[in-house]
Amino acid sequence: MEVRHILEKIKDGRLSVEEGIGYFKGLHYLDVGCAKIDTHREERVGYPEVIFCPGKTTDQVKTIIQAMLEWDSNILATRASENLFEEIRTFCPDAVYHPLARAITVKKRDIETPATYIAVVTAGTSDVPVAEEAAVTAEIFGNRVERVVDVGVAGIHRLFYNMDAITGARVVVVAAGMEGALPSIIGGLVDKPVIAVPTSVGYGASFNGLAALLSMLNSCASGVCVVNIDNGFGAGYMASTINRLT
Amino acid sequence: MEVRHILEKIKDGRLSVEEGIGYFKGLHYLDVGCAKIDTHREERVGYPEVIFCPGKTTDQVKTIIQAMLEWDSNILATRASENLFEEIRTFCPDAVYHPLARAITVKKRDIETPATYIAVVTAGTSDVPVAEEAAVTAEIFGNRVERVVDVGVAGIHRLFYNMDAITGARVVVVAAGMEGALPSIIGGLVDKPVIAVPTSVGYGASFNGLAALLSMLNSCASGVCVVNIDNGFGAGYMASTINRLT
Amino acid sequence: MEVRHILEKIKDGRLSVEEGIGYFKGLHYLDVGCAKIDTHREERVGYPEVIFCPGKTTDQVKTIIQAMLEWDSNILATRASENLFEEIRTFCPDAVYHPLARAITVKKRDIETPATYIAVVTAGTSDVPVAEEAAVTAEIFGNRVERVVDVGVAGIHRLFYNMDAITGARVVVVAAGMEGALPSIIGGLVDKPVIAVPTSVGYGASFNGLAALLSMLNSCASGVCVVNIDNGFGAGYMASTINRLT
Amino acid sequence: MEVRHILEKIKDGRLSVEEGIGYFKGLHYLDVGCAKIDTHREERVGYPEVIFCPGKTTDQVKTIIQAMLEWDSNILATRASENLFEEIRTFCPDAVYHPLARAITVKKRDIETPATYIAVVTAGTSDVPVAEEAAVTAEIFGNRVERVVDVGVAGIHRLFYNMDAITGARVVVVAAGMEGALPSIIGGLVDKPVIAVPTSVGYGASFNGLAALLSMLNSCASGVCVVNIDNGFGAGYMASTINRLT
Amino acid sequence: MEVRHILEKIKDGRLSVEEGIGYFKGLHYLDVGCAKIDTHREERVGYPEVIFCPGKTTDQVKTIIQAMLEWDSNILATRASENLFEEIRTFCPDAVYHPLARAITVKKRDIETPATYIAVVTAGTSDVPVAEEAAVTAEIFGNRVERVVDVGVAGIHRLFYNMDAITGARVVVVAAGMEGALPSIIGGLVDKPVIAVPTSVGYGASFNGLAALLSMLNSCASGVCVVNIDNGFGAGYMASTINRLT
Amino acid sequence: MEVRHILEKIKDGRLSVEEGIGYFKGLHYLDVGCAKIDTHREERVGYPEVIFCPGKTTDQVKTIIQAMLEWDSNILATRASENLFEEIRTFCPDAVYHPLARAITVKKRDIETPATYIAVVTAGTSDVPVAEEAAVTAEIFGNRVERVVDVGVAGIHRLFYNMDAITGARVVVVAAGMEGALPSIIGGLVDKPVIAVPTSVGYGASFNGLAALLSMLNSCASGVCVVNIDNGFGAGYMASTINRLT
Amino acid sequence: MEVRHILEKIKDGRLSVEEGIGYFKGLHYLDVGCAKIDTHREERVGYPEVIFCPGKTTDQVKTIIQAMLEWDSNILATRASENLFEEIRTFCPDAVYHPLARAITVKKRDIETPATYIAVVTAGTSDVPVAEEAAVTAEIFGNRVERVVDVGVAGIHRLFYNMDAITGARVVVVAAGMEGALPSIIGGLVDKPVIAVPTSVGYGASFNGLAALLSMLNSCASGVCVVNIDNGFGAGYMASTINRLT
Amino acid sequence: MEVRHILEKIKDGRLSVEEGIGYFKGLHYLDVGCAKIDTHREERVGYPEVIFCPGKTTDQVKTIIQAMLEWDSNILATRASENLFEEIRTFCPDAVYHPLARAITVKKRDIETPATYIAVVTAGTSDVPVAEEAAVTAEIFGNRVERVVDVGVAGIHRLFYNMDAITGARVVVVAAGMEGALPSIIGGLVDKPVIAVPTSVGYGASFNGLAALLSMLNSCASGVCVVNIDNGFGAGYMASTINRLT
């Protein structure tokens, strides 16, 4: 049953408020026409659904966010333009835009934050947007994040000067483009899980991040796993899953 | 012989109207200069020619549609911009534009519609444009379509809640991007043919739909076959061919 | 300084036994000529070096294992043939061969095993060798492992019947070939980190595991990260790193 | 619960025969240790599980076939060597080996065969093994098959002389290597669904069937869908699914 | 020595006109700074240099054309925008723009045209721009061209109705996108060399013409050779080389 | 049997007119079960069918050759092992084996040989097998061939010393592996068509001939066209088609 | 410690000037927030850090350049737009823009220039931008450069006329697109190291420089090594490293 | 003129010994039938021709070596099996086999060796065969080599302990498989040219060295250039060219 039907029935008196609540609780998803919002996801995997904006119209994103707001979910919309954010802000004044990460967040509920933290490391300045997507994702999911910027292997002493922030973390996210070697180096230096996220930064034969992706998959250091190219969100999510393990 | 020559001869009295009809009937295609419209196709394969708009000038598309209108064909033009549609509407007021599917249809003749229907399923909201191209294609070819939106594997219970619409169909079209797993799941649950159409939705290593394409070709569930990336038209056509089998 | 030099000096009286111990402790690696064994690795990342056998001669593997035995490391040699094992057993009777995993292990020291366990899941029977490499790796590194075999998406109810073993784990390894959809499904059902390992099982367009690899990198379920094709060792190592987090 | 346990309990009198039957009926799969045979599949998708032999040990294949024989399933094992067949025949005298198709079949039950038939067409003689896998699959699944051999586009009149066998079918399987053009030609000539199966036959830049695969996915004729390279089994299965539609 | 230097010396009287002619004749190329025009090429390979415009600035193209005009070469500039043409026309009123082919030609000298002709065939209307580049190239090089448009394999009778124009040619150019099957068909029907030129027309998995390229390289019909994707110029040049053989 | 033979037999009274008509109507190919031999091909494209041996059983090749021998065709079987040749020789003593080219030829009829010749050029000694396949193909098809061996660009003066044999030809075949630069060099030096055939010779990143293939497709010299990797047969066939043009 | 902190402390009197200098000398990098400038690099590898502009905001580039100016480094910023240059010029009047190379240079200190020079060679005019990036890089690093333009293999005599400039160099950079054959030719003619840089110039199957890249990696002439596609900077840097060897 | 002809003429008295010497000196290559040995190469590029054995028959290799022995060249034959070596040793007792490098060398003349040396570094033990090919090549070409084994990034301290041998070299060769990160690290630490050679060592997604190749081409450290996968010979040659620069 669609959310609209439930609300109409309540409005028409055909459904009591208590019955409506029952419906909402019992429903495993909200059908808003263009999407079936997986309202059960938080209970199942620990986090609410996240909105991947590309390929969706502005109206579709608005519809989804409006429904989630009624549900009191925390909201994360990734790959969102500033224009889209302006549209969202008209009805959701709590929305925050993260320009480097190109993400919109809305915080409706506080989440308990573990004492441990996630280190988010970048090889170069050009990798920052992807790293920021990871950091914003981890933060909205209730994690503390330490950022370590521009410690790539061309000047590896910069990494050694910043190892404390990295070894102190419970899990490490490393964003790197070009040859993507940094996760291997870090993987050989720490006893924590390393989430490698390749970025599409580089010259021609980086093939939009393929070089870094293959490099990371072939890491000779163990304890490194890999997410999709430029997928800062996925890295932040995975890191959160690990950081929040009890 | 070109259409123009036939008509000029009729006009000049060098050909009687009856002879002209004979020519048109006998002709296996209409030569309109920039194209040879395969007027015999409907008789041969059951459907008239369809216009793939990319790479064609507006004038070429107009010429082709005008000739087909004289032929009383139903018309389907895919990958058409709204601007192109406005041009077509000036001389063809019956033309309809389907914005999500980016398709133009003109219905000149009714086609007998079978009692069975085609289910068109999408993994996510971002896959809807491709699915709509499939649905519009199937409908103009005389099929009833049931749409099932956003039942991808990240929240697989959404699929189970909607299995009735899928198992009730005679043939199932499944559009999915990213890892393209949905056709495998559905292929393992139904005894009907599944047409999988990969979409170009996804992060970097989807390589514009390559990941979903390979995934679908490698489906461990049998009874799944695959069409080109984003080729909703091809999926709808194939589904229609199967649905209309007697 | 090479191990041989240290021992010769002790033998010649040029180095006292105490000095020799000091050298060994201080040394960060053992130079055995064909390799520099990273004896410091266990202290740094929590695990001793592991021997990847392909491309090494039998003599090289023997040299490395002999040196590590003197060091009292636990030993894991991957991609080892049964013939190689027979050579090792001649001087190391404690060596154990795991034929499905193609791994040799030697257990010299006990490791404290956490109460939590790792689930190692396979989509099909043909994926078992890779999964076994993961399981053997995790076990030699001091983890308890639960195996769940052949629960791929072609008959997804088999997965649901076995979810308890999966949701009860602290971290889940999933090995799958062909379209590699299983990690996405599991990722959408559990709140634990999922380590996906693509296998090279499949028909032509699996391209030796590329299809499954891309599928897993593009997982629409979050909380999934990926290791190299057929790299059961890497998956087991990563899982151990997470399972042993305190 | 494992099959062995059920049988042991019956043997021990801890389970009555009737209870045992109930278990077997209720069970959705048979756990034989190395595999979970999906005994529910036939009810769900119309066909029993099929054994893909590569990557399985001889013992594993034997275990699976023995369990299926007790279940009275018809059996199809693909990519089976003649040696494997000899092993199977020792305990299953009804097994038949199809050398061109490299398949083992065991027919335990008759299946109603529809009046319509499937045409299995090859472009060249070298494509016959893949086509035979399709044909044997379709036949064991209860279909009548017409074979049309060596009608590729280098001598296209050979196709035209054999169109009757093709247009008379309810569904057409076309196996072709090299440039894989034949499905496009046939797709432009018939009003039946065409299942294209690329083969790995060809010179260097066929890249083991990639050329034919891409060619078929890009068919300018509609009504063509594609299965994996050399996957005759998948083509035969899909064709059967369509041919048996009522 | 640079052209400018020669002309300056003549102007200054430091070089006689006769000496200047000697220089120009003796020179094997004209150095115009940004390029070394291969003025000897026509003598060597039968045709003057051709200007590939992409990656060159407007000023560079102008400099090259001005030098070639002084040399009385016929000129062909490919991949030229209409804007570039407007610039050229300001100093070269004989220049002609071919909008479909995106080519500029200047005819300074007549070339003897052989009695035989080249057939330029397209599979679909969207392939016309590439075919036109081939046709314009062949014409400026002194060949007669017959165009045959839109005879692709989806309606193969259109090809048979137009075989006379194809079998009558001395050499055949075939431009096709999507699955690129047409050259194979024609190669199996004629005893003349077939030059296949793949176009980048198609859906996603055409990968910008890769599918058609591989298809043509794998042609099961012999007597087919292939040029680069969308390289109508190369096809026209090759055809001219063959057509002008004595 | 050739059309000419049928007519000669009729003229000689060895065949009645009615029988002759029967032959013409009936004969477009010989169906030998595993193949449909295109007996009409010689009349249509100038050459009889050629047997590509890979993927065919010895029995299939024997059946095809026996049928062609009755038809008095000249025979060319490519990619044939010496073992296969021994089988053929038992019933066909005229068969000749060309070990470098791995080809079998049987010459049943003389073909008129043009006065012009084909140059077959190799970049290195390792390219000889592919070049020999081209040469043997051209010779059995009635052409004179000049071989020029090992004139690759690492020592380009070797080419210049041998240009006479190349410029004197009517058409040039160039076989090259590794970077495949030789066709570009020759294409810039001659006014004859150049057929480039990439070979799979080279180090890792030649990717079995892909590097040479791409290099040749991108030749900056015009008048170069390309056939499949290692496809000496295709190159020799194309060269013959051009050399025999009148 | 960040630069800002050091300067604030000096300004506040919390740090003496001498102490400040000590800090700056001791520091191995400058932390400017968005980047860690590797101020130690020149001492280590002989050159200061270079700014790769893509993926960095204008503010980030400005911040980095301002810090480096205080450090008195020579500055090279690659892939810089003219707009970015205008921003830089506002605070750095010594900045120079190289439009063909799309590079910004600032020369703060003179570098000793060796007597030997680097030859930078291009195959075609369209390769000039990449070659200019190499030349500008080499020049700012203190090398003399000779440019040789447009001597590609389509008219190879142009190369021979210009060999003196090439053989006279100590190291040769060769930029080429399309088939990328020029480095092989030059590698076979000189006894100096050749740095090959593939460019993305070409028709479809150049795949944005992949063809030239593979060609250069497979050079049959030795003494050729390769940098990334369009990476003129890397080629110029490598050449400088070699030219400055003593 | 072929060597055999010269010698026959001398033997027959048709050519005086002095004339013969003149011929040999004047000849720029030796035509031995299956190859044209580039005897002029040493004068031109500094090194004699090198024999790449794959794709050549034993007889061809013998013929080439016998001719070079008469020429008093030093000889290097790469990718040679031990069997081939046994054949060579029968007529050339000075031949030496290098089993790890799979190379045959024959030293006929001493070459002046520079005071500087080449460092040949490997990331892991499995990379040794490729590194040895580089070392043997450099040595036969008259260079001193220092080998540094197994200092890959998984235990990066091993590299730092061995930096002296690396920074002391004039040029550094680095062989690495898997993610190929080592050249980037070294490139960021030394001011000498680094020749990176990717090896085919690794798990599935190394794709036989592609991952390492791309990684090295995308090195964020400058001063790194790349040769073909597993091409130790090319790396050694390039290093020699640089080391011998005066």
Side-chain angles (χ1 to χ4, degrees), chain E residues 61-201:
Chain E
V61 175
K62 284 168 73 173
T63 301
I64 294 169
I65 288 183
Q66 281 164 337
M68 289 182 76
L69 286 172
E70 294 184 33
W71 206 249
D72 266 342
S73 286
N74 284 348
I75 289 172
L76 171 61
T78 64
R79 307 290 162 102
S81 67
E82 195 144 5
N83 286 343
L84 178 58
F85 170 65
E86 294 302 335
E87 292 280 341
I88 302 305
R89 194 156 60 171
T90 57
F91 63 87
C92 173
D94 298 345
V96 176
Y97 190 62
H98 307 259
L100 274 174
R102 285 166 306 153
I104 298 167
T105 52
V106 189
K107 192 159 193 181
K108 302 292 286 191
R109 287 183 294 138
D110 276 332
I111 303 177
E112 199 186 0
T113 298
T116 55
Y117 69 89
I118 297 167
V120 174
V121 184
T122 63
T125 303
S126 301
D127 304 314
V128 164
V130 174
E132 274 304 299
E133 194 183 67
V136 167
T137 297
E139 286 169 345
I140 189 75
F141 284 171
N143 299 277
R144 195 155 55 83
V145 170
E146 285 285 318
R147 289 156 171 88
V148 180
V149 177
D150 197 21
V151 293
V153 301
I156 203 170
H157 60 289
R158 299 177 301 184
L159 174 65
F160 296 140
Y161 275 72
N162 289 276
M163 278 308 292
D164 285 354
I166 295 172
T167 52
R170 198 183 197 208
V171 49
V172 185
V173 170
V174 186
M178 296 188 169
E179 89 277 62
L182 191 57
S184 287
I185 311 294
I186 293 179
L189 293 172
V190 302
D191 57 354
K192 305 297 165 39
V194 174
I195 317 295
V197 49
T199 74
S200 54
V201 170

Side-chain angles (χ1 to χ4, degrees), chain F residues 23-42:
Chain F
Y23 259 102
F24 274 108
K25 281 227 179 104
L27 271 186
H28 283 79
Y29 60 82
L30 276 175
D31 195 325
V32 295
C34 66
K36 293 185 176 56
I37 303 168
D38 184 358
T39 49
H40 184 254
R41 189 169 297 174
E42 189 152 9

